Amino acid sequence: MSLLCWGRTAHGVLGTGDENEGEIPLHMLRSVTIPGGRPVVQVSCGELHSLALDASGDVYAWGSNLMGALGHGGRQDELRPRIVEFLPPALQINAGAHFSAALAVERDVFFFGWDGASE
């Protein structure tokens, strides 16, 4: 499955694999491939990162991981979508400024990333 994106390319926020600083204008849309090939049912964008939820409940994250908002451990940016391995199947996702949230099928809520404003 793929998404179309445009905008600033810093920190891999678009998920295209491009790490060069710049912008992709609307008339030059780029395709972002979500691994797994299942339909994407929700997308949420934070300040410098993005999340996608596929039809099986898998959550993918990419972009800036400075505050741990991608849920991959460490602080390395991801230039392409990567599955958030620790999460159980999810129903809903939300990307905040520097944090992420997921509502799991079992109704547990998971938060990861910066909580400097008590998110």
Side-chain angles (χ1 to χ4, degrees), residues 40-53:
V40 172
V41 296
Q42 186 183 357
V43 174
S44 185
C45 300
E47 186 172 330
L48 291 172
H49 74 290
S50 299
L51 304 173
L53 174 65

Side-chain angles (χ1 to χ4, degrees), residues 37-118:
R38 291 177 293 278
V40 172
V41 296
Q42 186 183 357
V43 174
S44 185
C45 300
E47 186 172 330
L48 291 172
H49 74 290
S50 299
L51 304 173
L53 174 65
D54 75 14
S56 70
D58 287 337
V59 176
Y60 296 85
W62 63 95
S64 174
N65 200 28
L66 178 63
M67 303 291 185
L70 303 183
H72 299 144
R75 297 288 185 260
Q76 183 174 340
D77 292 350
E78 292 291 336
L79 302 180
R80 297 189 185 281
R82 179 176 158 201
I83 194 167
V84 181
E85 294 179 6
F86 83 91
L87 286 175
L91 292 172
Q92 193 171 12
I93 54 174
N94 188 46
H98 300 287
F99 70 94
S100 299
L103 173 64
V105 171
E106 299 296 323
R107 302 292 192 225
D108 293 318
V109 178
F110 294 84
F111 292 94
F112 40 100
W114 188 58
D115 70 347
S118 300

Side-chain angles (χ1 to χ4, degrees), residues 16-39:
T16 61
D18 188 355
E19 61 185 330
N20 297 321
E21 179 72 28
E23 293 192 13
I24 297 173
L26 183 57
H27 70 277
M28 295 178 65
L29 293 173
R30 297 268 179 93
S31 179
V32 177
T33 301
I34 304 298
R38 291 177 293 278

